[in-house]
Amino acid sequence: VYMTQDIGTAIQRVEDFHINGMVYTVGNEQDYHFKVLFLILKKLGYEWAQNLYHLSYGMVDLPSGKMKSREGTVVDADDLIEEMTATARKISEELGKLDGYSEAEKEELYRIIGLGALKYYILKVDPRKKILFNPEESVDFQGNTGPFIQYTYARIQSILRKAEFDYSEVILEYQLNDKEK
C-alpha cells in the first residue's frame, strides 16, 4: 500500500507543481523503500526519477523506547521542549546558581538551557546515526553538552565585561593555523 501510494504521490507532485526532482527527508529505516520506489519510477519511464533523493537520517529513541507514529508513541516537539525546560529547572535549582534572578528571568534561562541542551545533543551526533536521547544527560552542566557550552560562554562574557581592555583597537593581524582551525 505504501509503495503504490508513494508512486502515485510522486507522479501527482511532478504534474501539479511542474518539478523535475524531489528530496524525501525520512528516517533511515525507510532506506530500502526509497531505493525501490526510485527504481520503480525509473522502470516506469519517468526521466525525473533520476532526480529523486532520499535524505536519510537516524531515528531518535527515548530511554522509554522507540518513537513510532503508527503506534502513537511519538513525542510531540512541544512536549519535549516543555520536558527539557522542566529538566533544566530541576538541575539549575539543585545547583543553586540563580540567586538574584527574578522568576521571569529564571524561566527564560530554563527555556534557553533546555533548548540548547536539546539542539546540541541532537546536532552533535552524525545525522545518519540512531540517537538514544536522554533528557537528564543532555542538561548536564559538565562534559560535551549544550548547557556546558552555554555556561562556558557566560563565564567568558563575564570575564570580558570585567576586563579593562579596548577591543576596538586592532593589536595585530593573526591568521589561524591548521590546528587552530
Side-chain angles (χ1 to χ4, degrees):
V1 174
Y2 292 113
M3 185 60 71
T4 55
Q5 192 174 26
D6 285 345
I7 292 168
T9 302
I11 295 167
Q12 193 67 51
R13 284 179 180 154
V14 170
E15 289 174 1
D16 289 352
F17 301 108
H18 309 290
I19 55 178
N20 64 357
M22 289 179 270
V23 177
Y24 291 81
T25 306
V26 181
N28 60 12
E29 293 178 335
Q30 298 297 320
D31 286 352
Y32 181 72
H33 172 82
F34 284 100
K35 219 178 252 187
V36 172
L37 172 65
F38 301 164
L39 183 61
I40 289 171
L41 289 166
K42 285 177 189 171
K43 295 280 185 189
L44 289 173
Y46 294 104
E47 289 183 27
W48 47 262
Q50 66 189 1
N51 300 324
L52 299 176
Y53 180 75
H54 175 213
L55 179 60
S56 179
Y57 62 87
M59 300 303 288
V60 177
D61 292 339
L62 297 173
S64 59
K66 187 175 185 178
M67 294 187 282
K68 296 179 183 176
S69 59
R70 290 190 196 106
E71 294 179 13
T73 57
V74 172
V75 176
D76 183 83
D78 292 332
D79 293 340
L80 185 57
I81 290 168
E82 195 174 298
E83 181 182 344
M84 294 305 300
T85 302
T87 303
R89 178 183 301 108
K90 177 181 163 242
I91 292 173
S92 296
E93 286 173 354
E94 288 171 3
L95 292 173
K97 295 185 181 229
L98 296 179
D99 296 336
Y101 285 86
S102 71
E103 283 306 310
E105 290 171 325
K106 286 180 185 179
E107 287 303 316
E108 180 63 10
L109 276 172
Y110 301 147
R111 190 185 70 74
I112 290 169
I113 292 167
L115 285 174
L118 176 61
K119 288 177 186 178
Y120 187 76
Y121 197 91
I122 291 172
L123 290 174
K124 75 179 182 179
V125 176
D126 182 319
R128 292 167 298 212
K129 291 185 178 174
K130 191 177 202 175
I131 299 172
L132 177 61
F133 180 71
N134 183 333
E136 289 279 334
E137 186 181 302
S138 71
V139 182
D140 192 352
F141 282 85
Q142 302 295 319
N144 190 11
T145 66
F148 180 73
I149 293 169
Q150 290 169 318
Y151 177 72
T152 302
Y153 174 80
R155 294 289 299 135
I156 291 168
Q157 292 304 307
S158 175
I159 291 167
L160 292 175
R161 276 192 304 276
K162 293 174 185 171
E164 293 181 18
F165 186 81
D166 182 7
Y167 290 98
S168 63
E169 205 176 299
V170 177
I171 295 179
L172 91 125
E173 302 244 346
Y174 183 78
Q175 295 293 319
L176 296 174
N177 67 41
D178 287 341
K179 277 189 175 183
E180 290 171 323
K181 287 177 186 175

